[in-house]
Amino acid sequence: MYRYDEFDANFVSQRTEQFKDQVRRRLAGELSEDEFKPLRLMNGLYLQLHAYMLRVAIPYGTLNGRQMRKLAHIARTYDKGYGHFTTRQNIQFNWPKLEDTPKILEELADVEMHAIQTSGNCIRNVTADHFAGAAADEIADPRPYAEILRQWSSLHPEFSFLPRKFKIAITGAPNDRAAVQVHDIGLQLARNEAGEIGFVVFVGGGLGRTPMIGRKVRDFLPEEDLLAYSEAILRVYNRYGRRDNKYKARIKILVHETGLEELKADIEAEFERIRFGVLRLPDEEVRRIEAYFAPPPLEVGETVSGAVENRKETDAAFAQFIAHNLNPHRVPGYTSVTFSMKPIGGIPGDASDAQMDAIADLAEEFGHDEIRISHEQNVILPHVRLEDLPALFDRLVSAGIAEGNAGLITDIIACPGMDYCALATARSIPVAQRISERFGAPDRQADIGELKIKISGCINACGHHHVGHIGILGLEKKGEEFYQVTLGGSANENASIGEIVGRGFSSEQVVDAVEKLVDTYLGLRSGKEETFLEAYRRLGEAPFKEALYGAA
Amino acid sequence: MKVITANRLLNGDVVWLGDNGSWVERITLARVFEGKEAVAEGLAEGAEAERNQEVVSVYEMDVTVEDGIVSPVRLRERIRATGPTTHPQFGKQAQAVSA
Ligand code: HEM
Ligand code: SF4
């Protein structure tokens, strides 16, 4: 795993000291709130409805047991015993006190963690496929490149005051699990005919109030050009991106308003100027960083485990878990296991301090001390022996994170919504909970198959509703919560933005509406293999619209 | 009818402007303002408290008063006054039970 070098350690501890002093000056009245707010935001500290909120970075979603235990400790000591994993692979604490935050940041620094680049108009933490370094379909581990980008972007003086926030995501596999096409820059690792590694580059994807799928600007960017090309994109954005209107300031608007061809030409021109300069990535440097992410020693084993097969025969919950929560590993005899942070009727992404401690223990015992957080708000052990699955499952059951629902209809993404968020127009979590209860029966979920529901509590789209197979956006109408439903969104390699089906639904009606959509799909699918999304793409919106609103 | 609300600087707690410049933890104890001028005075008191490092994010909000009980009009403010609806054990609703 990546370890801080001396530079990083100094940088983080300096930043913690700085913030401690800023908090002291704020409390002493030397800084006004207007002066202090940008400083606290740079350190991940927001003010929400009930309290402050601290967003802690988990770069590319990778952490170890010691770090997870520290998060548990923070939840227990400074918060109310829980944290919330987010769609950006971060964790948020909902109740920290301002006076405690310098201490919390110190504690985080002890385990090489921080809250830098979780907020503000800078290049945010780079996100990556949560199965990175383990997935059977992977061309290469994307995290070394994510780390190279992090080192380049951390406190990059030229890019600390961008027109708006800037998000980069990277996947190492052709099956995109990192939603790269809805990021400002999306990178997909690829090999050219000579077998060399490079990237397909997308620019200008994003969600929020103007959702857009990223446009491809390069079919193959050689590895050595990663930073120079990224810098060229950022420079063009920094120069031409709009600063007059924050709703039009993301790079997606620039792509849209300037036109792809012209922007591409601008990027290429800038790239040609700096291409052979200091940003050219030497091969040794990439290999050096790669070594930090070297996989643990894994012994090749049997691809089928007798212990697993036997247990499946007699234990339906275990069989369901095995059917849905495993991802194929590149080493035979191993698998990547998803711990569902979506218990039926529970709060998507919430983890208690006890659960975090349990995850840390399990990672150390069964998972070579590696943990991942997914943008789908689940926790993953990337390297688990098949043989260990029965024992691991028993422990997950005790910890309450054993639901076999990964990728199913109850594996819902939901933003904090109006239960916490100062910007919300409606609640999202309770809607997720009610849908989960409605469809929670194991057979029913399994029969429905892959179906991604994503819920946001306002137009900012932190819950990715635009790319949900069924997306739900909470709005306010005449003082009441009101939910708009979109269909056909997707965040994978065939990304698409969902379309609004028709008028929205009240809080009481929205779960019934989802059920009608699901029943329509079940009635019309060509067979069990045809997923909801495939059926929607084949059938179009008409039958779904009719189910919701009657014949036109 | 309006009350003035804010969060305490030190711990982020939701508070409302009460009598004599105090900031109270229960909306039922909030001072109710009627009329533009009264509200402006309340906001000015709030701004002063913000300058004194007591509170942040001061603003006015709509309430109704029935049988002397002050209740927020908007759902957002009802949730601020009680706590997350998903966690009845946290926020002010929890204090109300234990108090
Ligand atoms: C609770 C405090 C939060 C605030 C104040 C906040 C604010 C915002 C705002 C203003 C935007 C729109 C930005 C734009 O389009 O320029 C946004 C987008 C987004 N936020 Fe949040 N957010 C919060 C929590 C979260 C959480 C909990 C998550 C993850 C669950 C998250 C993930 C995202 C994502 C994925 C987007 C859309 C992607 C994009 O930038 O295009 N945010 N957020
Ligand atoms: S989508 Fe809106 S309500 Fe949800 S977390 Fe983002 S800003 Fe808050």
Side-chain angles (χ1 to χ4, degrees):
Chain A
M1 219 177 101
Y2 181 72
R3 307 272 325 198
Y4 273 14
D5 59 21
E6 227 167 86
F7 173 81
D8 294 322
N10 284 338
F11 163 49
V12 169
S13 74
Q14 270 175 19
R15 203 40 192 272
T16 307
E17 282 304 308
Q18 242 175 28
F19 189 56
K20 198 187 212 171
D21 192 52
Q22 287 156 355
V23 171
R24 183 194 60 72
R25 281 154 62 204
R26 175 71 183 104
L27 296 177
E30 293 164 26
L31 290 175
S32 72
E33 184 62 13
D34 286 347
E35 289 162 335
F36 180 65
K37 189 174 168 186
L39 300 173
R40 70 166 157 75
L41 286 175
M42 279 167 75
N43 291 285
L45 191 66
Y46 288 71
L47 184 63
Q48 291 294 82
L49 287 183
H50 313 287
Y52 290 99
M53 179 274 280
L54 182 68
R55 186 180 285 168
V56 176
I58 303 174
Y60 25 88
T62 297
L63 74 172
N64 61 25
R66 184 162 157 259
Q67 291 171 318
M68 184 63 99
R69 228 173 253 116
K70 182 62 94 176
L71 296 176
H73 165 77
I74 288 168
R76 192 160 45 235
T77 314
Y78 303 99
D79 208 274
K80 294 187 189 287
Y82 68 107
H84 179 76
F85 292 112
T86 80
T87 48
R88 301 220 69 253
Q89 300 179 309
N90 293 323
I91 184 168
Q92 297 189 170
F93 292 106
N94 291 304
W95 306 90
K97 296 183 170 60
L98 175 60
E99 47 189 332
D100 286 340
T101 43
K103 188 83 189 65
I104 299 175
L105 294 180
E106 268 174 26
E107 295 230 22
L108 287 169
D110 285 348
V111 296
E112 308 187 341
M113 294 184 86
H114 58 77
I116 298 166
Q117 284 178 291
T118 61
S119 169
N121 295 334
C122 60
I123 302 174
R124 300 290 187 88
N125 279 293
V126 179
T127 51
D129 180 5
H130 40 273
F131 296 127
D137 61 354
E138 186 169 273
I139 292 165
D141 189 338
R143 293 171 305 158
Y145 304 101
E147 173 54 26
I148 288 166
L149 287 164
R150 185 197 70 79
Q151 294 190 4
W152 159 75
S153 67
S154 285
L155 293 194
H156 194 307
E158 194 178 328
F159 305 139
S160 300
F161 294 95
L162 293 168
R164 198 81 178 87
K165 57 172 108 166
F166 201 91
K167 298 178 179 176
I168 304 178
I170 177 164
T171 176
N175 298 301
D176 177 10
R177 291 172 290 256
V180 305
Q181 293 182 34
V182 291
H183 284 75
D184 296 281
I185 294 180
L187 298 168
Q188 181 147 28
L189 277 166
R191 263 186 213 285
N192 65 7
E193 278 164 14
E196 294 154 346
I197 291 232
F199 310 88
V200 184
V201 184
F202 297 91
V203 169
L207 301 171
R209 68 184 60 220
T210 324
M212 288 192 196
I213 300 295
R215 307 289 296 274
K216 199 195 279 184
V217 288
R218 269 295 184 108
D219 285 315
F220 188 83
L221 178 75
E223 181 185 74
E224 63 194 17
D225 293 331
L226 175 65
L227 292 186
Y229 198 80
S230 302
E231 179 122 339
I233 295 172
L234 262 299
R235 281 208 176 150
V236 168
Y237 170 54
N238 208 16
R239 192 175 318 141
Y240 299 118
R242 286 178 62 171
R243 291 173 190 264
D244 59 319
N245 178 342
K246 82 171 191 180
Y247 300 125
K248 298 197 186 282
R250 296 286 292 266
I251 194 172
K252 60 191 175 189
I253 305 291
L254 184 65
V255 174
H256 185 69
E257 290 184 351
T258 312
L260 183 66
E261 291 312 316
E262 187 180 336
L263 200 75
K264 230 160 91 174
D266 287 343
I267 294 169
E268 292 294 337
E270 183 63 35
F271 172 62
E272 282 307 323
R273 290 196 7 209
I274 58 176
R275 172 171 190 186
F276 298 106
V278 292
L279 288 173
R280 196 173 173 82
L281 263 182
D283 187 57
E284 319 81 81
E285 180 60 10
V286 180
R287 307 285 89 83
R288 184 182 74 83
I289 302 275
E290 228 166 40
Y292 286 116
F293 294 91
L298 302 175
E299 267 171 52
V300 173
E302 297 290 330
T303 48
V304 178
S305 150
V308 170
E309 296 309 309
N310 289 340
R311 174 85 179 260
K312 268 162 62 177
E313 298 290 319
T314 55
D315 182 343
F318 180 75
Q320 175 106 352
F321 184 84
I322 298 298
H324 300 295
N325 292 35
L326 305 185
N327 194 66
H329 201 285
R330 59 185 168 70
V331 178
Y334 281 82
T335 185
S336 302
V337 182
T338 298
F339 300 176
S340 170
M341 307 313 286
K342 321 287 175 71
I344 300 307
I347 297 175
D350 269 17
S352 70
D353 59 331
Q355 286 172 333
M356 290 188 244
D357 277 335
I359 293 164
D361 292 344
L362 295 174
E364 287 166 356
E365 265 180 68
F366 297 102
H368 298 270
D369 200 19
E370 285 202 26
I371 304 168
R372 306 289 168 70
I373 308 303
S374 75
H375 82 270
E376 293 179 322
Q377 302 180 287
N378 288 318
V379 173
I380 282 126
L381 295 197
H383 313 293
V384 175
R385 268 182 357 147
L386 290 177
E387 287 295 319
D388 288 335
L389 286 171
L392 174 61
F393 180 74
D394 291 336
R395 301 275 292 278
L396 292 178
V397 171
S398 323
I401 47 179
E403 200 60 45
N405 63 349
L408 299 182
I409 186 168
T410 60
D411 187 4
I412 299 169
I413 291 185
C415 79
M418 203 185 268
D419 285 299
Y420 295 95
C421 180
L423 304 175
T425 40
R427 286 174 293 170
S428 9
I429 296 168
V431 176
Q433 290 178 294
R434 284 189 289 132
I435 294 174
S436 172
E437 271 159 15
R438 178 77 60 96
F439 294 98
D443 293 346
R444 188 171 190 197
Q445 293 199 54
D447 182 42
I448 296 165
E450 183 186 322
L451 208 178
K452 295 183 193 278
I453 298 186
K454 305 185 196 244
I455 311 176
S456 305
C458 82
I459 192 73
N460 287 321
C462 303
H464 289 192
H465 67 276
H466 298 296
V467 289
H469 301 169
I470 299 178
I472 301 178
L473 165 62
L475 296 167
E476 184 187 339
K477 191 172 160 188
K478 300 199 186 102
E480 299 286 332
E481 289 166 301
F482 170 80
Y483 295 88
Q484 198 173 66
V485 175
T486 50
L487 294 178
S490 168
N492 68 8
E493 60 284 2
N494 301 311
S496 54
I497 302 293
E499 292 155 21
I500 298 172
V501 262
R503 64 175 190 276
F505 299 91
S506 71
S507 175
E508 290 73 47
Q509 297 164 334
V510 67
V511 180
D512 293 337
V514 170
E515 190 163 34
K516 280 184 195 157
L517 292 169
V518 171
D519 288 343
T520 305
Y521 153 68
L522 291 176
L524 294 175
R525 68 180 174 189
S526 58
K528 199 168 177 294
E529 333 64 57
E530 191 181 41
T531 63
F532 180 92
L533 183 64
E534 288 161 353
Y536 176 80
R537 284 181 174 167
R538 175 172 63 85
L539 296 160
E541 67 171 9
F544 295 95
K545 207 167 179 151
E546 191 179 325
L548 289 180
Y549 307 106
Chain B
M1 277 172 284
K2 306 235 184 222
V3 298
I4 309 297
T5 187
N7 293 74
R8 265 201 220 287
L9 172 66
L10 214 51
N11 56 15
D13 272 1
V14 178
V15 287
W16 296 267
L17 187 56
D19 290 327
N20 309 319
S22 65
W23 290 92
V24 297
E25 312 265 333
R26 302 279 178 77
I27 191 167
T28 46
L29 303 175
R31 196 158 102 218
V32 177
F33 297 84
E34 267 186 276
K36 266 205 178 116
E37 273 169 38
V39 172
E41 276 170 38
L43 284 173
E45 253 181 73
E48 179 65 23
E50 198 159 350
R51 276 192 294 280
N52 294 333
Q53 279 54 259
E54 277 181 77
V55 294
V56 287
S57 180
V58 177
Y59 60 91
E60 52 174 88
M61 52 175 267
D62 291 321
V63 292
T64 56
V65 182
E66 236 173 279
D67 301 329
I69 303 212
V70 184
S71 333
V73 171
R74 293 182 58 210
L75 177 64
R76 177 187 202 271
E77 294 303 334
R78 290 206 294 278
I79 292 175
R80 274 181 88 238
T82 44
T85 62
T86 48
H87 270 123
Q89 70 276 39
F90 299 138
K92 298 191 180 289
Q93 51 203 353
Q95 294 150 13
V97 175
S98 58

